[in-house]
C-alpha cells in the first residue's frame, strides 16, 4: 500500500512538472509572437510616417505597399527561423551537462538540430496559418500577386534559412568553451544577425555598397532573400542562384561549426558534470 502511494505521488509530481513545462513553452511562444507583432507595428507606423512626409511614391526602390508587406513578412520569417538555444548550450558547457553526451552514443550536434526542428514543427504550423491570413489581407487590400512556384521556392529558402541560422548560432556557441560568461557576446551577435539578415529593414535601403558586401555574407539568406522571393522581386535565375548560395553556406557553416566544436572540446573540463 505504501509503495503504491509513493508511486502515485511520483506520478503526480511528474505530471505537474510536465504540465508546468508545457505551459512555460506555450507562454514563451505566445509572448514571442506578441513581442514580434509589436516590432512589426512600430515598423509599419515608421514607414507610414516616412511615406506621408515624402513627395515621392517610391523610396529606395519600394512603394508603400511593398515596404509594409516586407516589414510584416520579415517579422514573421525572422520569428520562424530564430534560434534561441545558444543559452542552453552555454549552460550545458558551464555546468558539465555536456558530459552525458560524451558518455552516451548521442552526438550533441544531432541532439541540438533535432531539438531545434522539433520545436519549429509546432511554430511552423502557427506561422503558416498566420502567413495565409496575411497573404489574404494583402491580396484584398493591394491586389498582391502570388504564384504556386513562388510559394514552393519560398518554403525551400525558409528551410535553408533555418539551417543557416541554426549553424550560425551553433558555431558561435562554441565560444562558451573559452569565455565563462558569454551572454554579452550572444546578445551582440543576435542583434548583429537581426540587422544584417534584413529582419529590421531591407538591406538595399542602406546603399549599393552595403548590399554588395552583405551579398557575400550568409546573413541575408536567413530573412532578406526568402522575403524577396515571396514579394516577387527576384527573377527565376536570381532565385535559383540564391538557393544554390544558401546550400553553399550550409556546407561552409557545417565545416566551421565542426572545427569550432572540435577545438572547444579540447578545452572542455566538465566542471560540475
Amino acid at each position: 500500500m505504501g509503495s503504491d502511494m509513493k508511486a502515485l505521488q511520483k506520478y503526480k509530481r511528474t505530471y505537474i512538472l510536465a504540465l508546468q513545462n508545457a505551459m512555460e513553452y506555450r507562454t514563451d511562444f505566445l509572448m514571442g509572437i506578441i513581442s514580434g507583432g509589436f516590432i512589426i507595428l512600430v515598423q509599419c507606423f515608421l514607414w507610414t510616417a516616412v511615406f506621408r512626409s515624402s513627395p515621392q511614391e517610391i523610396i529606395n526602390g519600394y512603394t508603400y505597399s511593398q515596404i509594409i508587406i516586407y516589414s510584416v513578412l520579415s517579422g514573421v520569417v525572422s520569428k520562424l527561423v530564430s534560434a534561441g538555444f545558444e543559452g542552453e548550450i552555454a549552460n550545458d558547457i558551464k555546468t558539465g551537462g555536456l558530459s552525458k553526451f560524451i558518455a552516451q552514443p548521442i552526438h550533441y550536434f544531432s541532439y541540438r538540430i533535432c531539438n531545434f526542428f522539433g520545436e519549429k514543427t509546432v511554430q511552423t504550423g502557427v506561422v503558416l496559418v498566420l502567413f495565409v491570413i496575411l497573404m489574404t489581407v494583402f491580396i484584398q487590400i493591394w491586389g498582391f500577386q502570388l504564384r504556386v512556384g513562388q510559394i514552393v521556392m519560398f518554403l525551400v529558402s525558409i528551410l535553408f534559412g533555418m539551417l543557416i541560422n541554426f549553424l550560425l548560432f551553433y558555431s558561435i556557441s562554441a565560444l562558451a568553451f573559452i569565455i565563462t560568461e558569454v551572454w554579452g557576446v550572444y546578445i551582440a551577435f543576435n542583434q548583429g544577425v537581426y540587422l544584417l539578415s534584413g529582419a529590421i529593414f531591407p538591406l538595399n535601403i542602406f546603399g549599393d555598397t552595403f548590399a554588395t558586401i552583405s551579398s557575400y555574407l550568409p546573413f541575408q539568406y536567413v530573412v532578406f532573400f526568402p522575403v524577396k522571393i515571396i514579394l516577387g522581386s527576384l527573377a527565376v535565375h536570381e532565385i535559383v542562384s540564391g538557393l544554390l548560395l544558401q546550400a553553399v553556406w550550409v556546407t561552409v557553416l557545417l565545416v566551421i561549426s565542426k572545427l569550432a566544436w572540435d577545438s572547444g572540446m579540447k578545452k572542455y573540463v566538465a566542471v560540475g558534470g
Side-chain angles (χ1 to χ4, degrees), residues 62-77:
Y62 292 87
T63 63
Y64 174 71
S65 60
Q66 288 175 332
I67 200 67
I68 293 299
I69 293 173
Y70 180 92
S71 298
V72 173
L73 293 184
S74 65
V76 173
V77 171

Side-chain angles (χ1 to χ4, degrees), residues 225-257:
F225 175 66
V227 175
K228 291 283 281 185
I229 291 177
I230 207 67
L231 281 176
S233 304
L234 300 175
V236 175
H237 73 275
E238 291 177 314
I239 295 175
V240 173
S241 176
L243 292 174
L244 289 174
L245 283 171
Q246 281 186 308
V248 169
W249 272 116
V250 168
T251 305
V252 170
L253 289 170
L254 273 170
V255 174
I256 292 174
S257 65

Side-chain angles (χ1 to χ4, degrees), residues 35-45 68 71-76:
S35 62
F38 178 74
I39 294 172
I40 291 172
L41 282 175
V42 170
Q43 290 177 315
C44 289
F45 282 127
I68 293 299
S71 298
V72 173
L73 293 184
S74 65
V76 173

Side-chain angles (χ1 to χ4, degrees), residues 74-206:
S74 65
V76 173
V77 171
S78 64
K79 175 61 182 175
L80 183 59
V81 303
S82 61
F85 55 79
E86 61 275 10
E88 297 175 10
I89 294 179
N91 188 61
D92 284 344
I93 294 171
K94 184 177 179 180
T95 62
L98 190 61
S99 300
K100 64 182 179 183
F101 294 95
I102 299 174
Q104 298 175 5
I106 304 174
H107 197 278
Y108 194 68
F109 177 84
S110 301
Y111 164 74
R112 275 296 160 195
I113 196 168
C114 289
N115 190 53
F116 175 73
F117 279 101
E119 290 181 355
K120 293 301 176 186
T121 301
V122 178
Q123 292 185 13
T124 300
V126 176
V127 170
L128 284 178
V129 172
L130 182 60
F131 177 79
V132 171
I133 294 173
L134 291 172
M135 288 296 101
T136 304
V137 172
F138 294 149
I139 290 171
Q140 294 295 322
I141 296 177
W142 288 306
F144 184 70
Q145 300 296 318
L146 201 59
R147 299 181 298 275
V148 175
Q150 200 176 340
I151 296 174
V152 172
M153 288 184 285
F154 168 72
L155 293 175
V156 173
S157 70
I158 287 292
L159 177 60
F160 276 126
M162 285 182 178
L163 284 169
I164 290 172
N165 208 41
F166 170 83
L167 291 169
L168 281 170
F169 281 90
Y170 187 77
S171 299
I172 198 69
S173 66
L175 285 174
F177 288 109
I178 304 171
I179 307 172
T180 304
E181 298 299 333
V182 73
W183 308 105
V185 177
Y186 285 168
I187 293 172
F189 184 75
N190 187 51
Q191 294 304 311
V193 171
Y194 196 65
L195 174 65
L196 295 173
S197 67
I200 302 177
F201 301 115
L203 296 178
N204 48 355
I205 73 168
F206 295 109

